């Protein structure tokens, strides 16, 4: 588990293009800066800069197995990245809040995109699950519940290049919070 409390790492991750690049690497596997530049319609120098920032703060690393000579491939580092629950430093709190907003907005966009055209997903639409529930827990039980959920998600984690044939990226969104 990695709780992001370093303001520089949080600021690096809060950049929207870096979020997109990291998500791309997590879901589709390693890529070069040139490939990502084309994909995100930015110049190669900008793509390289953003990748170096993600590397500097431990979100990605060189994919040594695919890199050769000057052609460097980058891959996401599999990790359980979490935002601080309560940050005393206002800069840390602001950066964490921005990342949280970005994560929530991405989850909402992806869910809306899926729901708008479920039929396009074939058998995956039949396998998809939507659930809304509630329970009554103590603070300690809520902490345990969340940790067990993350352990379950970690058990099912697959790297893009090690996924089962026919596998595709699956978005999983989890919220567990006191009901207002």
């Amino acid at each position: 588990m990695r709780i992001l409390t370093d303001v520089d790492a949080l600021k690096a991750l809060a950049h929207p293009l870096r979020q997109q690049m990291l998500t791309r690497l997590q879901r589709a596997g390693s890529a070069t800066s040139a490939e990502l530049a084309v994909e995100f319609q930015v110049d190669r120098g900008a793509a390289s800069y953003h990748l170096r920032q993600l590397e500097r703060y431990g979100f990605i690393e060189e994919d040594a197995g695919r890199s050769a000579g000057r052609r460097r491939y980058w891959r996401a580092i599999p990790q359980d990245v979490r935002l601080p629950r309560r940050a005393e430093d206002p800069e840390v709190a602001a950066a964490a809040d921005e990342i949280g907003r970005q994560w929530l907005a991405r989850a909402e966009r992806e869910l809306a995109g899926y729901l708008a055209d479920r039929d396009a997903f074939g058998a995956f639409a039949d396998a998809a699950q939507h659930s809304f529930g509630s329970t009554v827990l103590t603070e300690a039980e809520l902490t345990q519940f969340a940790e067990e959920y993350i352990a379950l998600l970690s058990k099912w984690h697959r790297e893009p290049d090690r996924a089962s044939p026919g596998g595709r990226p699956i978005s999983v969104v989890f919220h567990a919070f006191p009901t207002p």
Side-chain angles (χ1 to χ4, degrees):
M1 166 182 36
R2 179 180 177 194
I3 300 174
L4 294 179
T5 56
D6 174 44
V7 71
D8 293 327
L10 284 161
K11 286 179 178 179
L13 190 58
H15 191 284
L17 179 58
R18 291 183 198 141
Q19 282 279 327
Q20 292 171 349
M21 290 176 143
L22 179 59
T23 299
R24 157 52 179 87
L25 294 172
Q26 290 168 331
R27 292 183 177 172
S30 62
T32 66
S33 61
E35 291 168 341
L36 293 172
V38 169
E39 191 170 330
F40 293 106
Q41 300 177 353
V42 297
D43 69 66
R44 189 171 174 193
S48 291
Y49 171 77
H50 290 299
L51 289 167
R52 286 192 308 274
Q53 292 303 305
L54 289 169
E55 177 191 36
R56 178 179 179 186
Y57 293 103
F59 299 107
I60 68 170
E61 63 188 3
E62 184 176 352
D63 184 345
R66 292 194 66 195
S67 296
R70 293 176 42 109
R71 188 173 177 96
R72 292 180 75 184
Y73 279 83
W74 297 96
R75 66 181 288 277
I77 297 172
Q79 56 188 312
D80 173 11
V81 176
R82 302 182 191 188
L83 300 175
R85 288 196 170 110
R86 282 187 226 170
E88 307 242 342
D89 181 333
E91 250 191 312
V92 169
D97 287 348
E98 176 57 27
I99 294 169
R101 280 190 291 278
Q102 288 178 22
W103 287 353
L104 181 59
R106 183 177 73 209
E108 290 172 345
R109 278 192 313 273
E110 290 176 359
L111 179 58
Y114 162 72
L115 292 173
D117 193 15
R118 284 183 218 191
D119 292 340
F121 295 91
F124 278 91
D126 296 333
Q129 177 68 49
H130 303 283
S131 174
F132 186 89
S134 65
T135 187
V136 177
L137 302 173
T138 66
E139 180 183 334
E141 290 169 334
L142 176 56
T143 298
Q144 181 180 350
F145 177 83
E147 292 301 326
E148 288 178 15
Y149 167 81
I150 291 168
L152 177 66
L153 188 59
S154 295
K155 173 185 169 187
W156 287 96
H157 175 79
R158 305 289 182 271
E159 292 297 314
D161 60 346
R162 293 183 179 93
S164 301
R168 65 174 298 148
I170 302 297
S171 295
V172 180
V173 179
F174 171 75
H175 303 282
F177 53 91
T179 306

